[in-house]
Amino acid sequence: NIMNISIKLFVPFTLVLSLLGCDNKPVDAVVESNNGSAEKTHFYNEFLACNAGPDYSEANLKTGIGEFNALNLSDEIYWIGGYAPVEGKNTNSNGWWEIQWSSQEASQAGWQEWLADEEAQAWNESFKTVLDCDDTTIFGYETHFPGPESIALKSWDSFVAAEIACTFNEGKTTENLKTVLKEFTQWVGDSGTGEEFSYGVYIPVGEHEADFWWYNWHPDFDSMARGNANWEANGKEMAARLEETATCVAPNLYNGAEFYAAD
């Protein structure tokens, strides 16, 4: 089962909140980092559903990912990673391959280059016996990652993620979400545990069953449990503010790994 992937390929994902408009136009796409330089926080991310193939093993996965990193990948790809569902804590049986692009336009051009690359296609065919990902159905999202650097995940060797589907309450929009997220960021700084953590939102491009997905990323599930306990004890007022804007379902939980990161 793909959920058994445990090699240190999965990056600790921090919760990423995307402050985007309903028309998929990014809001506050660039922020200023601590050293005063402009830092890109708005991206276009895609997910492909994946399942373990007949030749799946940790060794074969590691070998295949090494071969993948040697391919001629687009300069517009910033990050690639995978998610394995936690048994009993997820409505999905499949895992996910995630690609982070600089923009949707870059994704379209990059996929054309990939399909025309004979070496890439040969790798794709051989790797399917290890991890079979469906590239005929790709889910695209406008994304934004404004989490405070002071508590962001320090290591990307492994991570756990909580994926939460949300829909706006009647009369609420991303403008309301933008306001609440600023308050939430302040709350994390003032009342959080101080442990590594990040947060954000993925807003789907096109029709989907949710208006947005809120992601929380922690280094491990023990850290997630401590964060959740702190939220239950000290975050009631902030939770009420969030609940005024959107209605969210119980999270899907994943283990994750990094497959590729641009220099």
Side-chain angles (χ1 to χ4, degrees):
N1 190 308
I2 188 174
M3 63 166 282
N4 293 323
I5 296 173
S6 60
I7 59 174
K8 300 246 177 166
L9 289 173
F10 272 39
V11 177
F13 248 35
T14 52
L15 169 68
V16 190
L17 289 175
S18 177
L19 311 181
L20 308 175
C22 292
D23 57 356
N24 293 323
K25 292 293 189 277
V27 176
D28 298 333
V30 177
V31 298
E32 189 173 279
S33 66
N34 288 341
N35 62 15
S37 63
E39 180 179 348
K40 180 177 174 63
T41 61
H42 166 245
F43 303 90
Y44 179 73
N45 289 42
E46 295 177 322
F47 283 86
L48 289 71
C50 301
N51 287 287
D55 296 330
Y56 173 80
S57 69
E58 290 187 4
N60 287 343
L61 177 64
K62 186 174 182 178
T63 297
I65 294 302
E67 294 170 349
F68 175 79
N69 275 264
L71 296 173
N72 184 28
L73 302 176
S74 170
D75 291 339
E76 299 301 318
I77 294 176
Y78 290 170
W79 187 86
I80 297 174
Y83 293 82
V86 176
E87 188 172 10
K89 301 292 184 179
N90 203 296
T91 58
N92 297 306
S93 60
N94 58 272
W96 299 97
W97 179 288
E98 181 180 15
I99 308 171
Q100 184 180 79
W101 300 86
S102 61
S103 67
Q104 185 174 3
E105 293 73 20
S107 162
Q108 294 168 348
W111 277 108
Q112 291 180 351
E113 294 171 3
W114 173 262
L115 294 172
D117 188 322
E118 293 183 3
E119 186 178 1
Q121 292 308 300
W123 173 87
N124 191 47
E125 285 302 313
S126 65
F127 191 64
K128 283 182 178 179
T129 65
V130 178
L131 195 64
D132 189 5
C133 298
D134 181 8
D135 59 6
T136 64
T137 303
I138 301 174
F139 302 94
Y141 304 84
E142 298 286 352
T143 57
H144 188 71
F145 304 84
E149 292 182 9
S150 60
I151 60 169
L153 295 174
K154 307 302 188 296
S155 170
W156 294 89
D157 288 342
S158 64
F159 69 90
V160 299
E163 170 200 73
I164 308 167
C166 301
T167 54
F168 287 117
N169 295 334
E170 186 175 359
K172 301 297 183 180
T173 68
T174 49
E175 285 303 308
N176 303 105
L177 179 61
K178 178 181 176 181
T179 298
V180 173
L181 291 182
K182 288 181 179 178
E183 296 174 7
F184 177 76
T185 300
Q186 184 65 48
W187 182 90
V188 170
D190 294 341
S191 305
T193 63
E195 297 184 67
E196 297 175 28
F197 169 71
S198 292
Y199 47 92
V201 164
Y202 286 52
I203 293 185
V205 174
E207 296 296 324
H208 223 291
E209 67 268 21
D211 290 328
F212 64 90
W213 276 259
W214 178 304
Y215 278 79
N216 291 305
W217 291 280
H218 298 263
D220 51 53
F221 283 114
D222 287 340
S223 176
M224 180 182 287
R226 290 190 293 271
N228 289 343
N230 180 60
W231 177 250
E232 288 292 330
N234 302 308
K236 291 182 174 60
E237 290 185 11
M238 188 65 248
R241 292 283 293 121
L242 289 166
E243 290 167 2
E244 290 174 5
T245 299
T247 299
C248 303
V249 301
N252 284 324
L253 300 183
Y254 295 90
N255 288 295
E258 180 177 75
F259 294 159
Y260 168 83
D263 293 338

